[in-house]
Amino acid sequence: MSDRPGPCDDRGVTTSVQQPAVEHLPLRKLYRSAEGRLLGGVARGLAGHLGMPVAWVRVAFLVLFMANGMGALVYAAFWFVVPLGTGGVEAVPQPGKDRRGVVRGPDKGQLPALLALAVAVVVLGTNVHYGAAGTYLWPLLLVGVGVAVVWRQADNSRRAHWMEVSRRRRLLPLARSAAGALLVCLGIAGFAVTRGLGPHLGMVLQASLALLVGIALLVGPYLVRLVQDLSEERLMRIRAQERAEVAAHVHDSVLHTLTLIQRNADNPREVARLARAQERELRAWLYRPSGTGKDENEEDASESLAEAVRRLAAEVEDAHGVPVEVVCVGDCPQDERLGAQLQAAREAMVNAAKYGGEGGPVQVFAEVEGRTVFVSVRDHGPGFDLDAVPEDRMGVRESIIGRMRRNGGTAVLRSAPEGGTVVELEMERAEA
Amino acid sequence: MSEEQHRARVVLVDDHRMFRTGVRAEIGRPEETGVEVVGEAADVDQAVSVIAATRPDVVLLDVHLPGGGGVEVLRRSTTLMADPEHPVRFLALSVSDAAEDVIGVIRGGARGYVTKTITGSDLVKAVFQVAEGDAVFSPRLAGFVLDAFASTDAPPVDEDLDRLTQREREVLRLIARGYAYKEIAKQLFISVKTVESHVSAVLRKLQLSNRHELTRWATARRLV
């Protein structure tokens, strides 16, 4: 089992294919910086792209901001258009480095920056007079902030997707989106009021609601189909990955074994051993219960009785070149007494393989029924008479019978009716 | 075994041609083994038509088949299986290790299950056993069956009919431990015929348990 390549190995194979693509990144594309940003990461991203200190870019934006708010417009435009990525002054993309590792948690510096921006906007809004445009300023600002909040949401969910923590905070993004939408609505409503549509506000709202519903009806099916396509595509990808995993496994172990078999073609015993070991491994891999097989590292700690019996049988099979057929009924966790029973069973299997292996396969049966665990080992050899074994031969007496008795169990050796030896081991489980 | 008094006509159903060829070469020698291979099929549709056309004594049926698997072949051959004059009997022959595959075929009406590692002479024996109406349990199948009944042991109240008697359980355990019917008879001080009838009873209960489950399911949903 231990020589079986784990899932990690398989993943190593698939990701290594993608590596070259990552290494091509250094052609410098303009991205907004996801790390160390104050607002949208525009300044940092630009600075990284232009190769300038961030402070310069920020000062330039501030200066532009003074010029009738030009800076704000330019900044907003950049924010909307430029995608979020890993760029910036400090974080020039490092080839091969995983993106997930770079992105950090929420930047605390952003909050003061947002507050400062809000104060500046308020000050600007109350001090500067734009004449006729002034009446529309507040509604427009509201709409702008609302859109910004929603837009930022996209950023954040993307980041959250990178960090894969989105599952825990599902409410927050929703609340944020709702807040953004509300701000936009308020802005539009304010716009309507200032335009003198106050008395007709209800009608306007109704009309816009109707419009929204209409759009939803029109676009809805497309969206649904899009989502379905996406999930289907993901399913296909998962399947492809599974297939790749199977292929990797078959490649690794089966081809390896076949090569060994070809090289040992003149040694039938070795060929049989290799083929059996491979068959066993492939079966265990194909028919393992789903969900298991991933925690191979903690193999011995969590191994159940049935698994232990199968492993012991496999060891004996490999060591002695005699097929061992295992049938397990029920299963239970191991404890100290069962450990002793397994040791005795192993001894019995070794004996059966050594002295009775010519007559056919060794048959092992393990059953857990309630608190009783029963293991029988049967061979088809010449049989065995305990009384005929000299007193000084301690193998059977000590390793099997004695061991079982010391641990509170029973062991019976007898001849099978049609030849061969049967060893029956019975043990009570310890308290759960 | 009674060599000359019986001839068994057999159809092989398996999607691997190599395997069919191998089995045919191994057991299909009427003069020596008494087994005559009268047809082959590689998928469900082919199997159903070949079985209906040739009316064999025994069908060696693979569990995994294109077109729905061995279970589908059994489902579509129910009338042939129930034919009082000359029933067609099925013996599952599989490489699968999945209990649900094997138990599914047995519940579908197969009279036994053997693994593909079986030797030619054992397979011939099994074919005749099935042809005579007996069940053939490999140790592995016995293990699966014990497991299946153990897991459904907790809830049943009125299903005493579905449960295994102590004796049937004992017989199954001995099969699982690798004993032949003859050895089981000696061990339990009963006749081979009795062992066979116990095994048949297990088989019947296994197939019945399926129907009972269905009835229970239907009544629970007020469909009946």
Side-chain angles (χ1 to χ4, degrees):
Chain A
M1 285 271 166
S2 56
D3 56 343
R4 185 208 310 173
C8 307
D9 302 25
D10 301 335
R11 224 177 333 138
V13 172
T14 49
T15 46
S16 67
V17 179
Q18 297 165 355
Q19 220 85 56
V22 176
E23 275 164 8
H24 278 299
L25 251 176
L27 58 109
R28 283 203 307 201
K29 234 177 135 189
L30 180 58
Y31 279 114
R32 282 187 292 121
S33 169
E35 62 271 5
R37 60 180 185 172
L38 292 181
L39 274 172
V42 170
R44 190 168 281 271
L46 258 180
H49 185 65
L50 300 173
M52 290 196 299
V54 199
W56 291 19
V57 182
R58 286 197 176 127
V59 167
F61 269 119
L62 271 181
V63 170
L64 277 173
F65 187 70
M66 293 309 163
N68 277 358
M70 256 298 270
L73 272 180
V74 173
Y75 195 97
F78 268 114
W79 197 341
F80 271 67
V81 174
V82 178
L84 189 64
T86 50
V89 175
E90 279 87 30
V92 175
Q94 288 153 329
K97 190 162 179 188
D98 196 349
R99 278 183 181 186
R100 268 170 231 173
V102 178
V103 179
R104 290 178 290 124
D107 305 305
K108 291 209 178 78
Q110 282 183 263
L111 202 65
L114 277 171
L115 280 176
L117 182 75
V119 170
V121 165
V122 169
V123 169
L124 200 76
T126 44
N127 288 350
V128 183
H129 293 283
Y130 292 96
T135 34
Y136 303 126
L137 184 68
W138 285 112
L140 276 176
L141 266 178
L142 267 181
V143 172
V145 172
V147 169
V149 166
V150 173
W151 204 258
R152 262 183 59 79
Q153 177 55 39
D155 275 5
N156 278 354
S157 55
R158 193 141 42 138
R159 278 169 46 135
H161 182 67
W162 284 355
M163 293 186 279
E164 286 168 15
V165 295
S166 58
R167 240 167 267 158
R168 252 177 288 161
R169 296 184 221 151
R170 207 165 271 171
L171 260 178
L172 192 66
L174 247 155
R176 243 198 242 222
S177 300
L182 191 73
L183 280 175
V184 173
C185 285
L186 275 177
I188 292 172
F191 198 67
V193 170
T194 48
R195 286 291 302 260
L197 292 170
H200 311 293
L201 188 61
M203 230 176 68
V204 171
L205 281 180
Q206 268 177 21
S208 38
L209 193 71
L211 191 70
L212 277 176
V213 169
I215 290 174
L217 281 178
L218 277 176
V219 181
Y222 291 102
L223 278 180
V224 166
R225 194 182 304 165
L226 192 73
V227 169
Q228 278 172 347
D229 283 356
L230 274 176
S231 67
E232 199 171 304
E233 193 239 313
R234 206 166 70 193
L235 203 72
M236 299 286 277
R237 222 172 35 228
I238 290 169
R239 283 218 190 103
Q241 206 171 339
E242 244 165 43
R243 222 172 294 141
E245 203 179 313
V246 172
H249 181 83
V250 170
H251 177 272
D252 283 2
S253 58
V254 178
L255 285 189
H256 185 234
T257 307
L258 287 177
T259 314
L260 284 177
I261 285 178
Q262 283 172 24
R263 224 174 274 161
N264 291 299
D266 47 349
N267 183 352
R269 209 178 135 96
E270 181 66 8
V271 168
R273 192 191 68 76
L274 282 168
R276 242 189 331 262
Q278 185 56 62
E279 182 197 341
R280 194 172 53 234
E281 194 184 294
L282 200 58
R283 272 174 194 286
W285 195 78
L286 286 174
Y287 298 112
R288 73 183 167 194
S290 53
T292 62
K294 274 163 196 154
D295 41 357
E296 278 168 65
N297 302 330
E298 44 197 307
E299 195 171 317
D300 279 275
S302 60
E303 195 183 45
S304 74
L305 180 89
E307 284 165 8
V309 170
R310 290 204 185 91
R311 181 174 53 80
L312 288 177
E315 280 172 21
V316 173
E317 194 173 282
D318 281 350
H320 298 274
V322 171
V324 181
E325 288 174 0
V326 183
V327 174
C328 288
V329 175
D331 204 353
C332 69
Q334 276 194 64
D335 59 43
E336 206 174 308
R337 289 160 142 200
L338 297 188
Q341 188 181 21
L342 283 171
Q343 290 299 315
R346 188 198 152 84
E347 199 64 31
M349 283 185 230
V350 170
N351 280 341
K354 265 194 207 158
Y355 305 114
E358 279 79 53
V362 174
Q363 282 166 317
V364 178
F365 171 69
E367 183 179 17
V368 179
E369 200 194 23
R371 311 197 22 78
T372 314
V373 177
F374 176 86
V375 179
S376 96
V377 178
R378 188 207 168 158
D379 65 52
H380 297 264
F384 181 85
D385 186 4
L386 188 58
D387 299 327
V389 176
E391 285 291 330
D392 58 322
R393 297 282 301 276
M394 304 301 275
V396 169
R397 281 197 189 83
E398 278 311 302
S399 304
I400 299 178
I401 302 174
R403 184 178 269 143
M404 289 301 286
R405 201 172 289 149
R406 276 195 301 279
N407 288 280
T410 57
V412 177
L413 271 84
R414 63 156 148 252
S415 293
E418 297 284 306
T421 312
V422 183
V423 180
E424 296 170 358
L425 310 167
E426 209 170 313
M427 185 73 88
E428 290 279 311
R429 274 160 71 191
E431 290 298 331
Chain B
M1 275 265 118
S2 41
E3 292 93 11
E4 288 310 310
Q5 75 197 80
H6 278 303
R7 278 286 170 89
R9 299 171 69 250
V10 172
V11 164
L12 298 175
V13 180
D14 196 297
D15 52 335
H16 290 105
R17 204 167 57 85
M18 290 270 279
F19 183 77
R20 291 201 307 269
T21 313
V23 172
R24 189 193 265 273
E26 190 88 15
I27 68 168
R29 298 184 299 251
E31 304 311 315
E32 293 167 54
T33 60
V35 173
E36 187 190 351
V37 178
V38 294
E40 288 183 17
D43 60 38
V44 170
D45 291 330
Q46 221 178 329
V48 172
S49 57
V50 168
I51 292 164
T54 55
R55 290 301 192 99
D57 301 307
V58 177
V59 178
L60 287 177
L61 183 66
D62 191 13
V63 174
H64 293 294
L65 275 182
V71 179
E72 183 64 17
V73 178
L74 288 161
R75 203 183 58 75
R76 283 161 64 178
S77 312
T78 5
T79 47
L80 294 178
M81 275 193 275
D83 185 355
E85 289 290 306
H86 179 246
V88 177
R89 274 145 185 163
F90 289 81
L91 176 60
L93 181 60
S94 171
V95 78
S96 170
D97 251 10
E100 57 272 23
D101 283 351
V102 176
I103 296 282
V105 183
I106 298 295
R107 284 191 164 159
R111 307 299 300 239
Y113 154 80
V114 290
T115 46
K116 284 187 175 175
T117 50
I118 193 172
T119 61
S121 59
D122 281 348
L123 185 56
V124 170
K125 251 187 247 173
V127 164
F128 277 107
Q129 226 170 314
V130 169
E132 280 151 25
D134 288 332
V136 173
F137 271 55
S138 63
R140 192 167 265 160
L141 175 57
F144 289 156
V145 173
L146 281 170
D147 247 350
F149 275 98
S151 58
T152 56
D153 234 12
V157 186
D158 53 331
E159 266 107 285
D160 280 319
L161 199 133
D162 271 357
R163 301 174 78 174
L164 299 182
T165 63
Q166 197 53 42
R167 203 54 157 187
E168 286 160 358
R169 223 170 253 271
E170 261 172 277
V171 169
L172 274 188
R173 281 204 185 107
L174 288 172
I175 293 174
R177 288 164 63 178
Y179 283 59
Y181 286 11
K182 224 194 295 177
E183 294 174 308
I184 296 170
K186 269 188 195 161
Q187 178 95 11
L188 298 178
F189 305 107
I190 52 180
S191 72
V192 176
K193 265 267 149 302
T194 317
V195 175
E196 281 169 2
S197 72
H198 282 313
V199 171
S200 297
V202 170
L203 199 63
R204 204 181 55 244
K205 285 180 185 182
L206 196 57
Q207 286 161 6
L208 274 179
S209 77
N210 206 21
R211 256 164 256 162
H212 276 262
E213 269 165 32
L214 201 66
T215 323
R216 208 184 318 151
W217 183 84
T219 23
R221 283 162 188 74
R222 301 188 198 289
L223 297 175
V224 195

